[in-house]
């Protein structure tokens, strides 16, 4: 028994009703799936390896900046077309789709925060999803995220609804954000925001559910409960994951739902939070936790330690403490030192899978 046999899933990228079933399974069993920000094939394999070894599903996502990096820093993004981010996200998607099945696990292929000014990026990806859907019967991506939390609530909900209408015929999942996540990420700076607005109210969550459920069941909500993007000094932020329980209660009452956690929640700004905070949030219906900052740090650590330890072998191509004519090729081959970053990143993802109760669920 386990997720794959119970839901009859094949390994590789999953779509549509399978995505909903996996999130429902996670909600029922009390685990969340980490969403790993990937920027290269190297970070993709670190995440896939961790999930394979932990017997877990995984979510791989590219941010607008990460997608552009995937395409190459030498390509410029225009404001109207976001061509580097569109091309990079599509390239990452094809790469993940190709390698995911050999890791033997279900993978949700997602894209991260898309603020108002970045909507041409989302439009470009949806064009490709629709083209791909015509040919193969599935969209290219399992899901996308739209983040209009900076805008007026009405605009946020109406525009999110418009995008969900576009995604619905493909049974594509859409994640939205309401309320404000503090800190700075992807060029949006909320460091000075007043503390009360960091917490979303149950009525706001209900307005989202009411508007979106009329269109499609395939959506999730990132609600602010004091979360902050990035890592700051401890004590600066007070997380209130129990607020998610209040949102669920309110939605149950409005919906008359039998499920006591009808809403799929997403935890943003997870880096630096305690295991207890994660688990409390998960118990209230969080099915996805974004992890980025801690993984950037983990990836660096392996490479930093390798370079520090081997510095006398990395100054010249030939010549090291063992002799002036000794070659250093085996030390400077990128497959050796980049791999060290993959190992430390992988270890951090394994830890996250444990923290979120997602290990050994397949
Ligand atoms: Zn967010």
């Amino acid at each position: 028994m386990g997720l794959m046999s119970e839901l009859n899933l094949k390994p590789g990228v999953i779509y549509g009703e399978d995505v909903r079933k996996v999130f429902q399974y996670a909600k029922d069993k009390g685990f969340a799936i980490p969403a790993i920000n990937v920027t290269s094939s190297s970070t993709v394999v670190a995440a896939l390896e961790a999930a394979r070894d932990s017997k877990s599903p995984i979510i791989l996502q590219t941010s607008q900046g990460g997608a552009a990096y995937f395409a190459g820093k030498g390509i410029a993004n225009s404001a109207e077309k976001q061509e580097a981010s569109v091309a990079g996200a599509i390239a990452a998607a094809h790469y993940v789709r190709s390698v995911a099945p050999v890791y033997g696990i279900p993978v949700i292929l997602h894209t991260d925060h898309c603020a108002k000014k970045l909507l041409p990026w989302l439009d470009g990806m949806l064009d490709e999803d629709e083209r791909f859907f015509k040919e193969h019967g599935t969209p290219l991506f399992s899901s996308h995220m739209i983040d209009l939390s900076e805008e007026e609530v009405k605009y946020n909900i109406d525009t999110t609804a418009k995008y969900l209408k576009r995604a619905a015929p493909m049974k594509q999942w859409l994640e939205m954000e309401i309320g404000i996540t503090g800190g700075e990420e992807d060029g949006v700076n909320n460091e000075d925001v007043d503390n009360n607005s960091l917490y979303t109210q149950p009525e706001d969550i209900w307005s989202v559910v009411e508007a979106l459920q009329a269109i499609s069941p395939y959506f999730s909500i990132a609600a602010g409960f004091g979360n902050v993007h990035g890592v700051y000094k401890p004590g600066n932020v007070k997380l209130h994951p129990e607020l998610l329980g209040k949102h669920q209660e309110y939605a149950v009452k409005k919906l008359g739902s039998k499920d006591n956690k009808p809403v799929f929640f997403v935890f943003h700004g997870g880096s630096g939070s305690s295991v207890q905070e994660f688990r409390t949030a998960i118990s209230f219906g969080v099915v996805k936790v974004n992890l980025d900052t801690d993984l950037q740090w983990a990836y660096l650590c392996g490479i930093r330690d390798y370079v520090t330890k081997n510095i006398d072998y990395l100054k010249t191509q030939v010549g090291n403490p063992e002799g002036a004519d000794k070659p250093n090729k085996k030390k400077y081959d990128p497959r050796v030192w980049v791999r060290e970053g993959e190992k430390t990143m992988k270890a951090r993802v394994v830890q996250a899978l444990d923290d979120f109760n997602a290990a050994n669920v397949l």
Side-chain angles (χ1 to χ4, degrees), residues 270-284:
S271 289
S273 301
S274 72
V275 175
Q276 197 44 54
E277 285 166 334
F278 283 128
R279 293 197 175 159
T280 306
I282 290 165
S283 74
F284 291 122

Side-chain angles (χ1 to χ4, degrees), residues 112-113 145 147 149 175 177 180-181 185 222 229 267-269 290:
D112 200 5
H113 291 89
M145 192 211 163
D147 175 16
S149 58
E175 177 184 327
E177 181 157 343
I180 291 173
T181 301
E185 188 172 83
H229 287 134
F267 191 146
H268 284 193
N290 285 4

Side-chain angles (χ1 to χ4, degrees), residues 17-262:
E17 181 59 13
D18 285 342
V19 173
R20 196 197 62 77
K21 281 186 188 159
V22 166
F23 283 142
Q24 184 67 43
Y25 188 93
K27 203 162 56 156
D28 293 344
K29 303 271 179 188
F31 68 87
I33 310 171
I36 311 301
N37 275 75
V38 293
T39 52
S40 61
S41 61
S42 172
T43 46
V44 167
V45 301
L48 289 175
E49 229 179 275
R52 180 199 63 190
D53 291 0
S54 297
K55 300 187 173 54
S56 309
I58 197 85
I59 301 168
L60 302 182
Q61 62 187 25
T62 49
S63 68
Q64 178 260 355
Y69 187 86
F70 222 111
K73 279 299 268 183
I75 306 174
N77 253 336
S78 70
E80 312 75 49
K81 290 200 166 152
Q82 294 286 326
E83 47 278 78
S85 294
V86 172
I90 291 170
H94 284 289
Y95 174 70
V96 170
R97 290 173 58 93
S98 305
V99 297
V102 296
Y103 284 82
I105 55 168
V107 175
I108 294 173
L109 183 60
H110 180 69
T111 60
D112 200 5
H113 291 89
C114 182
K116 188 179 178 188
K117 64 172 190 267
L118 301 179
L119 286 174
W121 175 45
L122 183 52
D123 292 330
M125 292 189 292
L126 283 166
D127 289 344
E128 187 62 15
D129 279 316
E130 285 165 349
R131 199 193 61 73
F132 199 87
F133 185 80
K134 265 190 207 136
E135 213 172 305
H136 304 279
T138 69
L140 181 62
F141 298 88
S142 315
S143 59
H144 295 295
M145 192 211 163
I146 182 165
D147 175 16
L148 303 172
S149 58
E150 289 282 286
E151 316 301 323
E152 291 294 316
V153 170
K154 187 175 174 352
Y155 174 85
N156 181 354
I157 296 177
D158 290 352
T159 311
T160 300
K162 197 182 87 190
Y163 276 92
L164 188 61
K165 266 186 202 135
R166 191 169 168 192
M170 300 183 280
K171 295 190 175 171
Q172 192 176 42
W173 194 272
L174 188 64
E175 177 184 327
M176 67 87 69
E177 181 157 343
I178 187 156
I180 291 173
T181 301
E184 195 195 339
E185 188 172 83
D186 299 333
V188 177
N189 190 333
N190 292 327
E191 284 177 77
D192 300 322
V193 154
D194 148 49
N195 250 7
N196 280 336
S197 57
L198 293 175
Y199 306 104
T200 315
Q201 302 304 309
E203 293 80 5
D204 292 332
I205 299 295
W206 172 246
S207 312
V208 174
V209 173
E210 198 178 25
L212 299 188
Q213 64 160 6
I215 301 164
S216 154
Y218 304 124
F219 67 90
S220 51
I221 304 174
F225 48 94
N227 333 34
V228 171
H229 287 134
V231 173
Y232 296 87
K233 261 200 309 230
N236 278 3
V237 196
K238 191 99 193 81
L239 278 186
H240 288 287
E242 71 284 357
L243 279 178
L244 299 176
K246 296 241 171 355
H247 301 334
Q248 296 284 18
E249 272 172 38
Y250 195 85
V252 167
K253 244 194 283 165
K254 289 283 189 184
L255 287 166
S257 142
K258 273 182 275 159
D259 186 341
N260 64 352
K261 291 180 285 184

Side-chain angles (χ1 to χ4, degrees), residues 302-333:
I303 295 173
R304 176 202 64 199
D305 292 349
Y306 175 86
V307 171
T308 308
K309 189 168 157 237
N310 292 285
I311 190 68
D312 292 333
Y313 296 79
L314 301 173
K315 289 175 173 165
T316 49
Q317 280 187 284
V318 178
N320 60 48
E322 290 162 49
D325 57 350
K326 298 282 186 206
N328 292 321
K329 182 172 163 46
K330 286 207 171 90
K331 295 278 190 186
Y332 63 74
D333 182 333

